[in-house]
């Protein structure tokens, strides 16, 4: 420590000596700098000007050896755009300022930036926070403040921490004030947080307008409000909010930096109306340098403004202080020898002051020096990145009593944290967190320490209006059934789907009141020409219902208008057809069923053909083939018939029930009529498959479907019905093995509950559905047994394959390969045979008939067989004689 102190004293002495030598050899250059403030905003204008003056005096008190010295030229914008732009032009033309500090407001900064871009004069603003100001088109603008969009992720993290799913944005209807709203909205949406309402208030509204807007907000179920407006308008907002009861328990108010950074400027009566409010504010460290500066500033400010009661620094004052320090450093380090302007060349006498602005010779070099400036300022570590302060730490404050309490911090790397010291220590190991446990105790509106839920689902005693489809004749009531009870004079809703909906709503972590309303197309006007269910979806989209519950299939086109929950059923669409009984005793030719007649005939012919080739190839070599021709025919037929008989054994595996139709292609080719459920999307599938629309017929109930299938296509009914598995399950539970399904199957997304777009209930209901289907299967089985109780009593299997008889096409490749191999063997044998007996064939005469030639060939073949037989007899005789002689020799030897 002593060594460090000695070195510090040594370097200080060296600096002083260097400064003295420099000052004695080179005169100090005065550099004019403009300061544009708004005295109409008395508090902020006075505050920032005092900080700028102190920064100037403090800097040169410790840097008296600098060869340059800023000369401050202050002017008033009078809170007017033209006045601000005119002030900038005058400062550049008349005073030749090399830089401008200010202005305070973004709308003024936009015009001043255009002036300074033309003249290449850097602009350093400590309070113009609009995101659009920072742009490659504005290379001479330096924001010594936070970009308003930098706070968006901090606000989102705060909302996530308390698991609020829906918020309302309240903001001033101003082009610059509104620029941050898309940033906040985007950050919330990335976290699946819905902005349910935008309350845009005019820049200068009357009291009635503010009150009416607040009353409108009380009718919403959302109770989380994010406020982005100036302290002047914000103070009026909270005063009226308290009057109408919106500062009581259950409400959440979150301020953006626009108001949080200026809370110190509000008097105690306004603070009293904001009790329990949260705010996201810019962070600055409370270092010893800051504390010393704060004491000196309060004394100075009190002397200059003795009538001002509230004397508190804010972040804008510190940014203004650091802006002067950074500019003073940059001017010195730039090493600019001459500060001047190159006059604009104009040929006309009717030019404006803007057109005659000169171009700064030092502007580019000064800007480059600013970008490289680094130091420890009152607002924290000072450095610029892309023309903005490179710092994005925010503090979370809670308005309590007569002031504010810091309850936590947010950083881009770590998210929400209780304090920054632990964040710095754990930089390498910590992870991003949005947990509310990382915040200190918060006192909410109504003096409550319990975090509000963020929703008031009983606002105005409003219940969710749930639309339930009323099908014609209440078809498929096992799924959804709406009926009137005359005893209670009420409409009752029941069914499998209704039970599932009631269960998942009861499983939500909060109470949701709702009421079922029957949806009957005859009771509503102006419907689309689409299906019944599409009309129900449109009613939800237009707000007549908050949700729809029923056998509603999730489809991409419908999701453009509503938000679906996760499906609570797994659906497939397929065909259902009547079954017919196979009576073996009365069907004498049932053994022919496994194969089509084409395959039977082809198989028989190939058996005979291959048998003939085998005989031709083997008769001269295999003694077992040397039998009479009649015996050859007898053996070949027996081989063929026995083989076919083995195949006919497959008929014993055929089920006793089989579908009346085995393939949808049969339906299309025969022109059969196919049924589909009334007002379903199945008709679109059928058209895509190639069914003629004139051959499609709708049914409304399971009983009607049964009647049409029983009648059949030729008698005014249908040959098959195409529907989703829940409906087929209803039909099969009623009629068991009377019907079966045939392939193929077509996947669908299943049934889901349809809520209004961006409804906060969708994620929670989806989680409840997952919990039901994955962890409470016994409850699902209870619902199934309750509504489909007959299904478990059906003993016969009701699902079969789409094909029963093997066809010729299935074996075309096998027959082709067998024919090629067999024919090749026959050809090779014939060529070899003809070559071997070529001398015998020379006896043919040219006029000999074909039959004579074949007869001669067969005779030769027979002779070959006889010669082979004689050779075998001689061979056996020789073997026997040799064996006998051997035995005699053995006896003689004995």
């Amino acid at each position: 420590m002593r060594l460090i102190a000695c070195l510090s004293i040594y370097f200080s002495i060296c600096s002083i000596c260097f400064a003295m030598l420099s000052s004695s050899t080179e005169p100090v250059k005065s550099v004019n700098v403009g300061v544009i403030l708004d005295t109409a905003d008395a508090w902020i204008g006075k505050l920032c000007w005092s900080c700028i003056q102190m920064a100037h005096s403090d800097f040169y008190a410790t840097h008296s050896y600098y060869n340059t010295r800023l000369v401050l030229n202050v002017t008033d914008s009078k809170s007017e755009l033209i006045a601000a732009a005119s002030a900038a032009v005058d400062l550049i033309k008349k005073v030749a300022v090399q830089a401008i500090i200010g202005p305070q407001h973004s709308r003024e900064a936009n015009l001043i930036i255009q002036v300074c871009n033309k003249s290449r004069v850097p602009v350093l603003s400590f309070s113009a926070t609009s995101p659009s100001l920072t742009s490659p088109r504005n290379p001479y603008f330096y924001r010594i403040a936070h970009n308003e969009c930098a706070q968006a992720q901090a606000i989102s993290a705060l909302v996530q921490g308390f698991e609020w799913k829906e918020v309302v944005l309240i903001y001033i209807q101003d082009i610059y004030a509104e620029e941050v709203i898309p940033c906040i909205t985007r950050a919330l949406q990335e976290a699946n947080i819905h902005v349910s309402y935008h309350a845009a208030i005019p820049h200068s509204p009357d009291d009635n307008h503010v009150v009416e807007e607040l009353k409108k907000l009380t009718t919403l179920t959302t109770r989380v409000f994010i406020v982005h407006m100036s302290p002047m308008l914000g103070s009026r907002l909270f005063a009226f909010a308290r009057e109408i009861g919106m500062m009581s328990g259950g409400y959440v108010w979150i301020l953006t930096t626009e108001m949080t950074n200026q809370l110190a400027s509000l008097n105690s009566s306004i603070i009293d109306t904001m009790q329990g409010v949260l705010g996201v504010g810019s962070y600055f460290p409370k270092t010893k340098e800051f504390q010393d500066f704060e004491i000196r500033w309060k004394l100075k400010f009190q002397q200059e403004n003795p009538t001002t009661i509230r004397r508190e620094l804010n972040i804008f004052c510190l940014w203004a202080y650091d802006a002067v320090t950074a500019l003073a450093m940059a001017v010195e380090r730039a090493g600019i020898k001459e500060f001047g302007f190159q006059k604009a060349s104009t040929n006309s006498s009717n030019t404006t002051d803007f057109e005659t602005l000169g171009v700064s010779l030092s502007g580019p070099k000064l800007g480059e020096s600013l970008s490289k400036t680094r130091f420890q300022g009152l607002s924290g570590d000072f450095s610029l990145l892309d023309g903005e302060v490179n710092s994005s730490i925010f503090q979370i404050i809670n308005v309590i009593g007569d002031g504010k309490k810091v309850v936590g911090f947010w950083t881009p790397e770590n998210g929400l944290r209780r304090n920054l010291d632990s964040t710095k220590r754990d930089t390498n190991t910590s992870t991003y967190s949005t947990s509310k446990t990382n915040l200190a105790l918060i006192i909410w509106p109504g003096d409550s320490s319990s975090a509000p839920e963020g929703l008031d689902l009983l606002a105005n005693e409003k219940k969710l209006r749930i639309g339930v489809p009323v099908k014609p004749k209440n078809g498929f009531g096992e799924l959804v059934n709406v009926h009137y009870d005359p005893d209670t004079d009420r409409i009752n809703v029941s069914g499998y789907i209704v039970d599932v909906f009631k269960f998942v709503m009861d499983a939500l972590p909060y109470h949701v009141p709702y009421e079922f309303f029957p949806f009957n197309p005859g009771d509503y006007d102006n419907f689309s020409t689409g299906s019944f269910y599409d009309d129900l979806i449109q009613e939800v989209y237009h707000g007549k219902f908050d949700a729809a519950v029923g056998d509603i299939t999730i489809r991409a086109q419908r999701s453009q208008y509503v938000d679906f929950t996760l499906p609570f059923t797994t659906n497939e669409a397929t065909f259902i057809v009547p079954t017919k009984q196979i009576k073996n005793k009365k069907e004498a030719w049932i053994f022919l069923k496994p194969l089509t007649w084409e395959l039977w005939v082809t198989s028989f012919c190939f058996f005979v053909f291959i048998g003939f080739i085998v005989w031709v190839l083997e008769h001269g070599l295999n003694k077992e083939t040397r039998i009479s021709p009649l015996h050859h025919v007898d053996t070949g037929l027996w081989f063929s018939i026995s083989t076919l008989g083995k195949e006919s054994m497959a008929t014993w595996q055929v089920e006793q029930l089989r579908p009346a139709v085995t393939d949808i292609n049969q339906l299309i080719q025969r022109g059969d009529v196919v049924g589909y459920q009334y007002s379903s999307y199945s008709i679109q599938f059928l058209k895509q498959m190639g069914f003629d629309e004139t051959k499609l017929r709708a049914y409304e109930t399971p009983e009607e479907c049964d009647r049409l299938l029983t009648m059949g296509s030729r008698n005014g009914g249908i040959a098959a019905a195409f529907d989703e598995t829940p409906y087929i399950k209803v039909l099969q539970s009623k009629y068991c093995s009377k019907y079966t399904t045939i392939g193929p199957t077509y996947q669908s997304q299943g049934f889901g509950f349809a809520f209004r777009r961006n409804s906060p209930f969708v994620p929670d209901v989806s989680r409840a559905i997952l919990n039901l289907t994955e962890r409470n299967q016994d409850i699902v089985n209870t619902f199934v047994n309750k509504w489909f109780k007959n299904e478990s009593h059906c003993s016969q299997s009701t699902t079969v394959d789409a094909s029963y008889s093997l066809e010729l096409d299935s074996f075309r490749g096998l027959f082709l390969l067998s024919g090629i191999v067999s024919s090749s063997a026959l050809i090779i044998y014939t060529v070899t045979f003809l070559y071997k007996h070529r001398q015998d064939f020379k006896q043919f005469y040219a006029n000999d008939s074909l039959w004579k030639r074949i007869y001669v060939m067969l005779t030769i073949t027979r002779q070959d067989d006889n010669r082979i037989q004689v050779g075998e007899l001689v061979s056996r005789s020789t073997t026997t004689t040799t064996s006998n002689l051997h035995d005699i020799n053995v006896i003689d030897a004995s």
Side-chain angles (χ1 to χ4, degrees), residues 528 530-539 555 557-558:
S528 68
S531 76
F532 169 70
Y533 294 96
D534 290 338
D535 291 335
L536 176 56
I537 293 298
Q538 288 296 318
E539 293 302 295
R555 301 191 66 194
Q557 183 269 338
R558 293 172 180 171

Side-chain angles (χ1 to χ4, degrees), residues 48 54 118 577 720:
C48 292
M54 290 186 68
K118 178 176 176 58
V577 296

Side-chain angles (χ1 to χ4, degrees), residues 288-496:
K288 185 179 183 301
E289 290 76 13
F290 166 77
Q291 295 171 356
D292 293 342
F293 171 77
E294 186 178 30
I295 294 172
R296 291 189 296 111
W297 175 83
K298 284 184 177 181
L299 292 174
K300 181 178 183 296
F301 193 80
Q302 186 176 11
Q303 293 174 357
E304 297 176 352
N305 304 277
T307 59
T308 303
I309 299 176
R310 196 171 180 84
R311 295 179 296 273
E312 296 290 340
L313 285 171
N314 64 26
I315 189 66
F316 296 116
C317 176
L318 305 185
W319 282 330
Y321 187 99
D322 288 347
V324 175
T325 303
L327 183 59
M329 286 184 173
V331 168
E332 178 72 15
R333 294 172 181 175
I336 302 172
K337 295 182 179 181
E338 293 294 334
F339 294 91
F341 283 82
Q342 180 181 351
K343 293 184 178 181
S345 57
T346 56
N347 300 324
S348 174
S349 58
N350 298 325
T351 56
T352 63
D353 288 342
F354 179 77
E355 292 173 332
T356 58
L357 282 176
V359 176
S360 173
L361 300 175
S362 59
K365 196 169 185 179
L366 179 57
E368 182 181 356
S369 181
L370 265 173
S371 300
K372 296 178 180 179
T373 300
R374 306 282 189 278
F375 63 94
Q376 181 64 37
L378 289 182
S379 63
D381 294 332
F382 182 93
S383 64
L384 295 175
L385 179 65
D386 297 329
E388 295 184 338
V389 169
N390 186 21
S391 174
S392 299
I393 301 177
F394 294 91
Q395 57 186 359
I396 313 299
I397 64 99
N398 185 201
V399 178
I400 305 174
D402 60 351
K404 61 183 182 180
K405 170 189 173 184
V406 177
V407 295
F409 301 89
W410 179 89
T411 66
E413 299 80 15
N414 305 105
L416 298 179
R417 284 292 184 269
R418 179 74 60 90
N419 54 69
L420 289 178
D421 293 337
S422 61
T423 300
K424 291 179 180 179
R425 287 194 301 267
D426 302 337
T427 300
N428 296 328
T429 59
S430 59
T431 57
Y432 189 88
S433 172
T434 59
S435 173
K436 63 182 178 182
T437 59
N438 291 334
L439 301 176
L441 178 66
I442 296 174
I443 302 300
W444 303 93
D447 198 27
S448 171
S449 59
S450 300
E453 292 183 355
L455 288 174
D456 183 5
L457 300 174
L458 295 176
N460 295 332
E461 298 183 353
K462 178 183 177 182
K463 296 181 178 180
L464 291 183
R465 292 175 57 88
I466 309 298
V468 182
V470 181
K471 291 188 178 183
K473 305 178 184 178
N474 271 331
F476 296 92
E478 290 82 356
L479 298 174
V480 182
N481 187 29
V482 181
H483 61 280
Y484 173 74
D485 187 350
D487 296 333
T488 60
D489 192 29
R490 295 183 60 185
I491 293 177
N492 293 329
V493 179
S494 60
Y496 173 81

Side-chain angles (χ1 to χ4, degrees), residues 417 542 658 806:
R417 284 292 184 269
H542 290 297
R658 56 162 293 180
L806 297 176

